[in-house]
Amino acid sequence: MECYHVNQRDEIRRAYFQKGPFQPQNYKFPQNAFGEYSIKENVAFCLCCYLFKSDIPNQGGSDRFVKSGFKAWNRKSGLDDHKDGTPHNLVVQKCQNLMNQRQSITSAFEKQIALQEKEYRTCLNTSIDCVRFLLRQELAFRGHDEKDDSDNKGNFLELLQWLVDRCDVVDRVVLKNAPKIHN
């Protein structure tokens, strides 16, 4: 994974993880193999550790499951020790988090953007509806005193306030609660 650009690693990891570990078909290989298995070298690799090795420093003995492969088929405890080890459990959790798109930052941004778009659309449509009403009635838009403590701020602001008082959805996105544009 280290050879890939940092901004591309999660997409590459996701593709590897979705494809799943390579498991040869119609081949008699040693018992208890897990993850990736190399027929040519008769060794097993750990897919999760391979994908996230660079994220967990000092994974005791992890190179045998990432680079050289596990060969000690007569020592089943070596596999168990690896699977039960904290570094392996951390990378397994990272794989699960990677595949859970609802937790991704992209998903969070998309939800936030969708909410902002909905708020802007509500604000815009409310303003347009008020403008249409005032135009049809041939009424002036503003009054002489549009300050917050004024009794009559003008037709447009009074109509908006009337809608705010009756509709919670409008109240959340207009007047003082209107979405701000940040440069």
Side-chain angles (χ1 to χ4, degrees):
M1 286 289 111
E2 295 91 12
C3 65
Y4 295 110
H5 190 274
V6 167
N7 294 340
Q8 297 174 326
R9 287 181 187 169
D10 279 351
E11 284 302 316
I12 293 168
R13 285 175 176 142
R14 194 174 289 110
Y16 267 101
F17 201 72
Q18 284 175 337
K19 193 173 182 181
F22 170 73
Q23 296 179 347
Q25 302 298 319
N26 301 323
Y27 178 78
K28 185 178 178 186
F29 51 91
Q31 289 183 324
N32 300 320
F34 70 101
E36 295 272 336
Y37 179 76
S38 170
I39 295 173
K40 180 180 175 184
E41 298 177 31
N42 190 31
V43 294
F45 298 94
C46 178
L47 180 61
C48 295
C49 289
Y50 169 75
L51 294 176
F52 285 100
K53 179 186 184 308
S54 63
D55 292 4
I56 308 284
N58 302 324
Q59 291 186 49
S62 69
D63 280 354
R64 74 178 155 185
F65 290 98
V66 175
K67 291 182 181 175
S68 59
F70 178 78
K71 299 176 185 177
W73 299 111
N74 59 340
R75 263 193 46 235
K76 179 186 177 278
S77 64
L79 287 172
D80 293 337
D81 290 346
H82 175 74
K83 289 194 309 187
D84 296 336
T86 301
H88 175 76
N89 291 338
L90 290 172
V91 296
V92 167
Q93 184 62 48
K94 283 182 171 267
C95 284
Q96 290 169 348
N97 291 343
L98 177 70
M99 299 311 290
N100 185 355
Q101 290 300 295
R102 288 177 284 156
Q103 289 182 342
S104 77
I105 194 159
T106 304
S107 178
F109 278 135
E110 287 171 357
K111 288 177 187 174
Q112 183 65 31
I113 289 169
L115 177 63
Q116 288 175 343
E117 286 175 354
K118 184 177 178 181
E119 289 175 347
Y120 276 113
R121 185 167 281 119
T122 300
C123 184
L124 179 63
N125 286 337
T126 301
S127 296
I128 289 172
D129 290 344
C130 288
V131 168
R132 283 183 180 150
F133 176 81
L134 294 173
L135 288 173
R136 284 187 188 138
Q137 300 301 315
E138 297 180 6
L139 297 171
F141 280 63
R142 62 175 293 224
H144 296 292
D145 185 7
E146 294 182 349
K147 294 179 187 156
D148 287 340
D149 59 348
S150 174
D151 288 335
N152 187 351
K153 298 175 192 150
N155 293 330
F156 182 75
L157 292 177
E158 290 294 332
L159 185 53
L160 271 179
Q161 186 61 54
W162 184 82
L163 286 170
V164 163
D165 293 342
R166 284 155 183 76
C167 183
D168 291 337
V169 174
V170 174
D171 183 28
R172 287 192 294 267
V173 296
V174 298
L175 298 175
K176 292 183 182 190
N177 296 327
K180 309 294 187 265
I181 298 174
H182 302 285
N183 291 334

